[in-house]
């Protein structure tokens, strides 16, 4: 059984928590990296920021809300009362939020930017390369840390739903400005043009079909903390 993907135990309540909130999944992966070669990853991250064109494969994955790689040195770990940590390695922290299932995300990542992934985890200990996919998935699973808490402000909306909402918002603002100066006949024409332009953005967001038992369990757990079943409020 995969220990990282299905669920994590909430020690405070003794119940199972999920990495899923609505349509989104939260992923945290921490991989050790030898301090002798971590500097190469720092250079690679700098190059990626300076030449974002190299990330088009990643930016083109519309299922991704957010993705970031961070290098944490031993001295950077916070002391929350446990005392100073005696660590030999640097660590690469990867955080991401995305739509869809864990398998869909890893498959899209591996297919979309296989060489980019290999560079981002270049210094990671025992990194198996992004292809073949089976070894890559096994590596991510082994190093993934489940969430103890995951808040999603728009659980019923995927990335495309949010972008569609922004397009409708901009169109309404333009209509409001046009309404101030145009005659009824002119505004009727402007309104029809705007509706034709944004008709594909007028779909109603909401929770998708249950993709897994994780999703179903997350909905049940979240139900205790909301007053109604509305996700759009």
């Amino acid at each position: 059984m995969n220990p990282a993907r299905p669920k994590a135990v909430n020690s405070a309540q003794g119940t199972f928590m999920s990495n899923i909130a609505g349509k989104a999944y939260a992923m945290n992966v921490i991989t050790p990296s030898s301090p002798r070669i971590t500097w190469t990853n720092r250079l690679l991250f700098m190059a990626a920021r300076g030449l974002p064109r190299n990330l088009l494969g990643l930016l083109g994955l519309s299922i991704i809300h957010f993705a970031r790689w961070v290098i944490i040195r031993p001295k950077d770990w916070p002391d929350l009362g446990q005392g100073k940590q005696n660590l030999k390695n640097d660590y690469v922290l990867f955080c991401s939020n995305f739509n869809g299932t864990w398998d869909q995300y890893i498959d899209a990542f591996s297919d979309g930017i296989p060489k980019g992934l290999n560079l981002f985890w270049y210094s990671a200990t025992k990194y198996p390369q992004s292809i073949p996919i089976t070894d890559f998935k096994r590596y991510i699973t082994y190093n993934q840390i489940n969430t103890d808490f995951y808040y999603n402000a728009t659980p019923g909306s995927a990335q495309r739903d949010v972008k569609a909402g922004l397009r409708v918002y901009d169109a309404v603002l333009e209509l409001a400005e046009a309404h101030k100066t145009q005659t009824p006949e002119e505004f009727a024409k402007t309104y029809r043009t705007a509706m034709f332009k944004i008709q594909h953005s007028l779909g109603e967001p909401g929770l998708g079909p249950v993709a897994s038992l994780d999703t179903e369990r997350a909905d049940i757990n979240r139900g205790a903390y909301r007053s109604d079943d509305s996700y759009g409020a």
Side-chain angles (χ1 to χ4, degrees):
M1 180 178 177
N2 183 332
R5 290 162 52 184
K7 51 188 173 294
V9 176
N10 182 330
S11 58
Q13 300 180 0
T15 58
F16 290 113
M17 298 295 293
S18 172
N19 288 40
I20 298 170
K23 291 180 176 178
Y25 185 107
M27 173 179 284
N28 303 297
V29 179
I30 299 180
T31 50
S33 175
S34 172
R36 291 179 300 175
I37 57 174
T38 303
W39 65 270
T40 58
N41 254 129
R42 295 184 190 282
L43 290 178
L44 291 169
F45 290 163
M46 291 174 61
R49 288 195 298 269
L51 300 170
R53 178 174 297 181
N54 295 326
L55 300 177
L56 288 179
L58 175 63
L59 298 175
L61 296 177
S62 60
I63 64 173
I64 299 177
H65 295 203
F66 171 85
R68 186 182 185 187
W69 285 261
V70 178
I71 296 174
I72 305 175
R73 297 166 297 185
K75 68 177 184 179
D76 295 330
W77 287 92
D79 184 353
L80 303 178
Q82 79 276 20
K84 183 176 177 57
Q85 301 295 302
N86 182 20
L87 302 173
K88 298 180 180 179
N89 291 306
D90 292 337
Y91 285 83
V92 175
L93 169 64
F94 171 67
C95 299
S96 184
N97 286 200
F98 56 89
N99 300 134
T101 67
W102 189 95
D103 281 299
Q104 289 171 336
Y105 181 65
I106 301 298
D107 288 341
F109 239 41
S110 181
D111 290 340
I113 54 168
K115 294 182 180 178
L117 296 181
N118 295 341
L119 292 176
F120 288 154
W121 273 295
Y122 176 78
S123 64
T125 302
K126 296 185 178 180
Y127 178 72
Q129 305 293 300
S130 58
I131 297 174
I133 187 67
T134 300
D135 291 339
F136 180 57
K137 286 185 175 181
R138 186 178 296 117
Y139 186 78
I140 295 299
T141 297
Y142 185 81
N143 291 287
Q144 183 174 344
I145 306 298
N146 281 307
T147 56
D148 288 330
F149 177 80
Y150 179 27
Y151 171 75
N152 184 351
T154 57
S157 298
Q159 188 210 84
R160 291 181 177 179
D161 297 323
V162 174
K163 289 181 175 177
L166 292 174
R167 286 193 291 271
V168 173
Y169 179 76
D170 290 340
V172 170
L173 292 181
E174 292 175 2
L175 287 173
E177 289 298 317
H179 187 266
K180 295 177 183 177
T181 58
Q182 293 182 343
T183 65
E185 292 75 16
E186 291 172 336
F187 182 73
K189 182 178 180 181
T190 302
Y191 180 83
R192 287 193 293 270
T193 300
M195 289 300 103
F196 179 78
K197 180 179 177 181
I198 63 171
Q199 60 180 316
H200 296 299
S201 301
L202 296 175
E204 182 180 3
L207 295 182
V210 174
S212 67
L213 294 178
D214 285 354
T215 304
E216 186 176 20
R217 186 174 295 108
D219 291 341
I220 294 172
N221 291 339
R222 189 167 45 251
Y225 300 98
R226 67 172 189 257
S227 58
D228 55 53
D229 291 329
S230 174
Y231 284 89

